[in-house]
Amino acid sequence: MAHRYRFDCYELDTSERLLYRDGQPVGVGARAVSLLTTLVRRHGRLVTKAELLDLVWPGLVVEENNLQVQISALRKVLGARMIVTVPGRGYRFVEPLAGSLDLPASSPTWPPPGVPVARESAHESAHEPASAPPRVPSPTPSRPLVFDALSVLPVQATRLLGRERDQAALDALLPAPLITVVGPSGIGKTALALAAAHRWRADRPDGAAWVDLADLRTPDQVVVAVSQSLGLSAAGGEPVHTLAWSLKPLKLLIVLDNAEQVLDGVVALVTALLAEAPGVRLLVTSQVPLKVDGERVFRLGPLSVPSPQAGVDEALTHGAVALFVDQVRAIDRRFQLQPEHLPAIVELCERLDGLALAIKLAAARVPLLGLPGVTQRLGERFRLLSGQQSGVPARHQTLMAALDWSHGLLSASEQAMFRRLAVFAGGFPLCLVSILGEDHGGGERMDEWQVLDTLGSLADRSLVTVEGSDRPRYRLLDSMRDYAELKLADSGEQARLQRHHAHAVAALMEAAYQAYWQEPDAAWLARFGCDIDNVRAALDWAGLHDPELAVALMGACGPLFLLLGLAPEGRRRGHALLSVADAMGPQPAARRYWLEFSRLHWGVDNASMCAWAQRAGAAFREAGDARGLYLAMRCMAGSGMLSPDEARGLLRDMAALEQADWPARLLTQRLLAEVSVLRALEHMADARRVCQTLLVRAQSAGLDGVMSAGLSDLAAICLALGDTDAALRVSQQILARARNRRDNFVVHALAIVACVAFVRSDLPQARATLSDFVAACRIRSWEWLGLYAGLLALLAALEGRHEAAARLLGYTDQACRHVGSRDVLAVYAWSRAHAAVQDALEPTVLQRLLDQGRQLDPESVCTWALGQPPA
C-alpha cells in the first residue's frame, strides 16, 4: 500500500511519487523521489550504496555518481541535516517522522508491472511499514561499486617519517579550496599529499579521488585523466567546463599528483573547478606554484638532518636519518644504528639535500657496499646538474643527481640494460627482453643468459619492479624510466633500439593473432592485453619510420583493440594507414589489414565495413586463403549492405569452406553473420534459433566477446518478437556481465531496456534508462549513439518537446546514413517520433529543425534529449 509520509514541513506521497513543501509540489525529479522514498521507508537505518543502486535503479548498472547527484539534489531541497552520510558505506534518513497515511489500494503499484521482485529479509521488514515495496534484486553477481575513485585512495605502504610538523602546517591551511604542495623532485610531495588525503577524506561527504599525472605529456590530457579517474567523461564541447559542471553538486577532494609537466592543463582545470564547482577541494603536488587566484602554496622543504654531534635517540627524531635507517632495515633486518655510524649517515643525508628518493636509493646500496662504501661512491659520482643541461625537465635537475649516483654503481652491462629498458612503454613480458642484448650502436652486446642475469640484478637493486609470478612482467618506476630515457638519448642507441622494439612487438602480436583464434578471451587478454601501451608505441614509431610494418602490426593487433573495448582508437589508427595499405597491393599483411579494419567498423560504418571486406575477400580468394576468405565473407554478409540473395549466397559459401578442425571462435563467425542476415530479413524466429546455438558454442569455448554480441542480438530479436520480458532479462544479463569487463554492448542493452519502457508506456523509466544510455555512450567515445538516437527523439516527442524531437530526428537520420543500416529497434523509435512531430509541427518548421539536427554534435544531442519536459 502506498503511503504519505510527513516530516518537518514536507509530505512525501509515494503514490503520486511527489514531494510537497507546505502543501506545494517541490521540483525534484522522479529518480530523486524514488531515492527519498527508499530512505524514508528505512527511517533511521543505514542503507548502503549497493542497496540504493539496486532499489532505485532496479536491474540496471549505473555509475555511483548518479547516486551522489540525486543525494545532492535532495539536500538542496531538504537541507543537509535530514540525510546523513556514513562515509564509505551509504546514507541514513534521520529526520523524525510526524506520521504516515495509508493511501487507497487503487493507487499505482510499485514496482511497475513486469519487474521481478524478491522478499525483504526479516531484518529489513522489521524496520519499515508492512506495505513498503519489496526490494528489487540486482542481477547476480552482486553489484560492485563502479565509481570506486570517489571512495578509495592509494594505500599508504610505509609510514611517513619526519613530516609531523609539515603535516600540521598543511592542515592549518584548511579550508582553502586549493592547496599546492611545491618542492623539487624526490623531496616527498607525493607521500605528504597521500597522508593528507587520508586525513581530509572524512571531511568530504562525496569522497576523495587520486589522479596521478606523471604519465601525461600534453596539457589536454589532464581533463581526460581526471574524468577517467572519476568514472566520468568530459567529451564534447569544452571538456574542462563539462567536467566542472558534472562535479558541481559534489563535496569532493581531488588530489592531482605530479602536475608540473602539464601545468597549463592543470591551471585550466583548477580555474574552472574553483569557479564552477565550489564543493570540490583541490590538493596539488608540483615543482612550481600554479599561480591562480585562491591558491595557498605550501613549500615542502628537505627532511631535517641532525648535527654531527647528535646522539642516536636525537638523530632518529630527524626525518632524514629516520628514513635512511628504516629503508636499510627493510632490506637487512640485522642492521642496527650504532653511534659510530652517525657521522657517515649525517654526512650522506646532508650531501643528498635531505631528498627522500635519494636517501632511499642510498640505503638500498648499504647491504651490498656497506656504509663506508656508499659514502665513498657518493663522493665520486654525485653532482648537481641544475642549470647545466638545457631542455631537461625541471624535476630532473635535483633528482638526476641522486639517480646519476645510483647509475654509477652499476656495471657497464647493467647500465646498458637499464637505459635500454626505457624503450618499453609501461611494463613488458620476458619474451621482449631479448632485444635488449643486441648491439644497438653502444658497443654492449649480451647473450640471452646475460640479459636474464642482468635484468635480475637490476631487479635485486630495486631499479626494476617485477609483477606477477606465473607470467612475470617487468617495469621501471616512472622516475627511473624518465632518467633512463635521458641516458638512452645520449647513448646513440635509441633509433636502432626503437626499430628493434617495433619489430619485436609486431612479432609478439603475430603470435597473439594466431593464439586469438585458439584461446578463450580471458586467457588471451591475460597474456597480451597488458602490452597495449607497447603496441601503441610501436605503431607510433612504425607509422613514421616503417609504414608497411605499421600496416602489418595494425592487422595483427585488431583483436586486441576489439576485446579491450578500444575499437574507436583502432579505427583512428587504421585510417592513418589507408594509403600505405592501398599501395601494398595483395601482400599478406595488407590482406589482413583490410580484414581487421573491416571488423573494427561493425555496426558503426557498415558501408565501409562491407567495402573493405570485399577488398580483403578478393585478395584472400586470389591467394587461396580459405580462412581469410571465410572471415571476409562474414563481414560482407553481416554488413546489411548486400541484397538478400547475395547475403544468403555468402552464407552458403561460408558453410562450404568450413573444416572440422577449425577452432570454435572461427566457426562462430558464420553464425554471427547468419543472425545478422536473418534479422535483416525479419525472420526473427529463425534468427533466435541460430542465436541460441551461437551462445551455447561461445559459452563452452569461453568467448566472452562473442557471448556479448550474441546476447545483444538475442535481446533485440526477443523485442522484435514482442517478448519484452525476455528482452529485459537478456539485457540485464549483458549489463551484469559488463561489471567484470569493458563491454560496449552495454549501450545496446540500455537501448533495448529503454525501448521496452516505451512499449509499456513507462516514460519515467524510459527517461532514467536513456540517461544511463547517454552516460555509457559518453565514456565509450559515443559508440553507437547515432544508431539509437531515435530513442532520444521519441522521449522528447512523448514529453511534448516536439522541436527538440525534430532536431534529434535530423541527427538520427544523418547518423544512420553513416552507419548504413537501421535495425528494427531504430526503425520503431524513428517512426513513432517522426509521426508525433509531423502532427505537431508545420512542414517548413519541421524541415528546418531536421536540417539543424544534422549539424549537432553528440554533446548537444544529449542536451536536447534530456532537457526537462514542459510543466
Side-chain angles (χ1 to χ4, degrees):
M1 180 177 291
H3 280 62
R4 178 170 290 192
Y5 296 91
R6 297 190 180 96
F7 49 91
D8 195 48
C9 60
Y10 297 89
E11 290 184 356
L12 174 62
D13 190 328
T14 62
S15 65
E16 297 179 349
R17 299 175 76 177
L18 289 175
L19 177 66
Y20 295 85
R21 179 171 53 203
D22 296 326
Q24 298 298 317
V26 178
V28 293
R31 191 72 74 182
V33 172
S34 179
L35 175 59
L36 180 60
T37 301
T38 302
L39 290 170
V40 170
R41 281 181 164 144
R42 292 153 181 79
H43 179 266
R45 182 168 72 81
L46 167 67
V47 187
T48 67
K49 296 176 182 179
E51 285 180 279
L52 289 171
L53 289 169
D54 283 342
L55 294 167
V56 181
W57 287 270
L60 299 178
V61 174
V62 296
E63 294 174 334
E64 191 181 327
N65 68 311
N66 288 295
L67 176 58
Q68 292 153 342
V69 167
Q70 300 300 336
I71 289 288
S72 297
L74 288 172
R75 283 173 171 161
K76 288 181 181 179
V77 174
L78 302 175
R81 61 183 173 82
M82 294 191 184
I83 300 175
V84 174
T85 300
V86 181
R89 299 289 307 284
Y91 302 89
R92 179 184 286 117
F93 186 84
V94 298
E95 183 69 12
L97 296 177
S100 65
L101 175 66
D102 291 345
L103 298 177
S106 59
S107 299
T109 59
W110 180 265
V115 177
V117 299
R119 292 181 180 274
E120 296 276 9
S121 68
H123 174 76
E124 290 168 331
S125 300
H127 289 80
E128 60 185 55
S131 59
R135 177 179 176 181
V136 181
S138 62
T140 57
S142 60
R143 179 195 311 277
L145 294 181
V146 180
F147 207 178
D148 285 343
L150 284 181
S151 57
V152 178
L153 292 168
V155 175
Q156 288 182 273
T158 59
R159 293 177 298 150
L160 186 63
L161 298 171
R163 294 294 189 187
E164 293 79 7
R165 292 183 180 179
D166 292 317
Q167 292 184 73
L170 192 62
D171 291 345
L173 296 179
L174 294 174
L178 168 63
I179 299 173
T180 304
V181 179
V182 174
S185 296
I187 203 164
K189 302 184 296 294
T190 296
L192 183 69
L194 180 58
H198 277 280
R199 294 194 307 278
W200 298 354
R201 189 208 173 285
D203 185 46
R204 300 285 90 187
D206 294 310
W210 183 277
V211 187
D212 187 355
L213 308 178
D215 291 332
L216 306 190
R217 293 296 178 263
T218 60
D220 58 357
Q221 293 176 314
V222 172
V223 66
V224 175
V226 175
S227 300
Q228 290 176 345
S229 296
L230 296 172
L232 300 171
S233 173
E238 295 187 23
V240 169
H241 296 289
T242 300
L243 177 60
W245 180 87
S246 300
L247 299 179
K248 185 174 183 178
L250 302 181
K251 290 187 176 180
L252 173 70
L253 170 65
I254 298 178
V255 185
L256 303 177
D257 192 30
N258 299 303
E260 57 273 2
Q261 73 274 20
V262 283
L263 199 63
D264 290 344
V266 173
V267 167
L269 175 61
V270 163
T271 301
L273 291 176
L274 291 177
E276 301 173 38
V280 174
R281 178 172 293 160
L282 294 155
L283 179 60
V284 181
T285 70
S286 174
Q287 291 185 16
V288 293
L290 305 185
K291 298 182 180 179
V292 300
D293 289 340
E295 179 186 33
R296 300 295 298 274
V297 176
F298 183 88
R299 293 194 176 274
L300 184 61
L303 290 166
S304 62
V305 180
S307 69
Q309 293 76 32
V312 169
D313 292 338
E314 179 186 353
L316 286 173
T317 65
H318 290 265
V321 173
L323 178 61
F324 182 86
V325 172
D326 178 80
Q327 292 297 298
V328 175
R329 283 178 178 168
I331 302 169
D332 183 359
R333 59 184 177 83
R334 298 168 300 174
F335 180 82
Q336 295 293 328
L337 180 60
Q338 302 296 332
E340 59 266 27
H341 296 149
L342 277 178
I345 292 176
V346 170
E347 178 189 357
L348 184 147
C349 290
E350 282 185 337
R351 295 175 66 181
L352 290 178
D353 296 324
L355 294 173
L357 179 57
I359 290 170
K360 290 180 180 180
L361 288 171
R365 304 298 172 229
V366 170
L368 177 65
L369 301 175
L371 187 57
V374 170
T375 305
Q376 291 169 8
R377 283 181 175 264
L378 181 62
E380 295 169 359
R381 294 294 182 181
F382 184 77
R383 61 187 186 277
L384 291 175
L385 301 177
S386 180
Q388 297 180 20
Q389 293 189 14
S390 61
V392 177
R395 74 184 179 98
H396 289 166
Q397 298 297 338
T398 302
L399 179 58
M400 190 180 294
L403 292 174
D404 267 341
W405 160 79
S406 183
H407 185 261
L409 298 176
L410 304 178
S411 66
S413 60
E414 288 172 336
Q415 289 182 349
M417 173 71 77
F418 178 68
R419 67 175 176 264
R420 292 171 187 176
L421 289 173
V423 77
F424 296 114
F428 54 95
L430 197 59
C431 62
L432 290 181
V433 174
S434 60
I435 67 169
L436 302 178
E438 300 179 24
D439 182 1
H440 301 283
E444 284 292 334
R445 185 178 183 87
M446 293 175 272
D447 63 27
E448 180 181 0
W449 286 107
Q450 286 178 307
V451 168
L452 295 177
D453 289 343
T454 307
L455 181 64
S457 177
L458 293 176
D460 289 341
R461 294 172 180 271
S462 301
L463 293 174
V464 174
T465 299
V466 184
E467 299 169 336
S469 53
D470 294 339
R471 295 182 183 273
R473 290 184 63 82
Y474 307 87
R475 68 182 178 91
L476 290 177
L477 297 178
D478 293 338
S479 295
M480 302 292 184
R481 184 172 184 272
D482 290 343
Y483 179 81
E485 281 182 327
L486 293 173
K487 292 295 182 183
L488 181 61
D490 291 340
S491 70
E493 299 179 327
Q494 188 165 23
R496 190 177 299 181
L497 185 60
Q498 286 176 325
R499 179 170 63 83
H500 287 165
H501 172 264
H503 281 274
V505 172
L508 178 65
M509 287 297 104
E510 287 291 337
Y513 190 80
Q514 300 306 318
Y516 167 74
W517 299 103
Q518 304 286 341
E519 297 182 6
D521 286 5
W524 189 83
L525 283 173
R527 287 180 62 191
F528 302 107
C530 295
D531 281 302
I532 183 62
D533 288 332
N534 279 312
V535 168
R536 287 164 169 155
L539 282 170
D540 290 342
W541 181 90
L544 293 173
H545 303 283
D546 192 345
E548 290 194 3
L549 177 65
V551 169
L553 179 55
M554 191 66 228
C557 66
L560 189 64
F561 284 106
L562 278 174
L563 287 189
L564 289 176
L566 299 172
E569 179 184 348
R571 291 193 295 272
R572 176 179 59 79
R573 289 181 176 276
H575 270 289
L577 299 170
L578 280 172
S579 61
V580 180
D582 187 59
M584 291 172 66
Q587 293 184 37
R591 295 198 298 266
R592 186 174 59 189
Y593 163 85
W594 294 117
L595 171 64
E596 293 302 324
F597 198 43
S598 172
R599 282 169 24 100
L600 284 168
H601 285 76
W602 181 85
V604 176
D605 185 346
N606 288 342
S608 296
M609 174 185 176
C610 184
W612 289 318
Q614 287 171 331
R615 179 162 187 169
F620 283 124
R621 188 185 299 276
E622 183 178 349
D625 186 333
R627 285 194 181 193
L629 178 59
Y630 182 85
L631 290 169
M633 287 178 173
R634 176 263 185 273
C635 294
M636 288 186 274
S639 68
M641 303 304 296
L642 305 180
S643 70
D645 288 342
E646 289 174 317
R648 283 191 288 249
L650 286 172
L651 292 177
R652 289 192 296 271
D653 292 343
M654 291 180 71
L657 287 172
E658 289 178 355
Q659 299 179 22
D661 62 347
W662 279 6
R665 187 189 298 276
L666 190 58
L667 292 171
T668 61
Q669 301 304 302
R670 179 172 61 83
L671 297 179
L672 284 165
E674 189 172 356
V675 171
S676 298
V677 172
L678 292 171
R679 284 184 60 191
L681 295 172
E682 299 187 20
H683 296 172
M684 296 301 175
D686 290 338
R688 179 163 59 181
R689 174 182 52 78
V690 175
C691 195
Q692 289 168 340
T693 301
L694 168 69
L695 289 171
V696 170
R697 293 188 183 180
Q699 185 172 28
S700 63
L703 306 179
D704 295 332
V706 177
M707 278 288 295
S708 293
L711 288 170
S712 180
D713 278 328
L714 182 60
I717 291 166
C718 292
L719 185 62
L721 290 171
D723 190 349
T724 55
D725 288 340
L728 270 182
R729 186 168 59 251
V730 176
S731 296
Q732 289 164 355
Q733 188 176 349
I734 297 171
L735 297 174
R737 288 166 52 82
R739 296 169 181 166
N740 301 316
R741 62 190 300 271
R742 181 181 172 88
D743 197 336
N744 287 346
F745 289 98
V746 164
V747 176
H748 295 285
L750 290 171
I752 290 170
V753 172
C755 193
V756 170
F758 283 126
V759 170
R760 295 178 174 179
S761 301
D762 189 348
L763 209 55
Q765 179 64 55
R767 168 175 274 273
T769 303
L770 287 176
S771 178
D772 297 335
F773 165 83
V774 164
C777 289
R778 181 179 283 116
I779 64 175
R780 290 170 173 81
S781 303
W782 303 110
E783 195 88 68
W784 292 313
L785 173 70
L787 182 62
Y788 298 122
L791 292 168
L792 302 175
L794 180 56
L795 175 68
L798 295 180
E799 289 182 342
R801 297 181 289 117
H802 296 107
E803 291 190 359
R807 290 184 173 91
L808 294 169
L809 283 172
Y811 175 84
T812 303
D813 188 57
Q814 185 75 10
C816 286
R817 287 182 184 178
H818 179 74
V819 171
S821 64
R822 303 179 195 235
D823 66 7
V824 174
L825 188 156
V827 171
Y828 161 82
W830 193 92
S831 300
R832 280 194 65 184
H834 193 264
V837 298
Q838 269 189 323
D839 291 340
L841 300 174
E842 292 291 334
T844 55
V845 174
L846 174 57
Q847 188 59 50
R848 174 174 55 82
L849 295 172
L850 288 170
D851 292 340
Q852 291 178 4
R854 293 185 179 96
Q855 310 303 316
L856 292 177
D857 60 78
E859 202 64 56
S860 300
V861 167
C862 299
T863 301
W864 284 108
L866 299 178
Q868 289 300 315

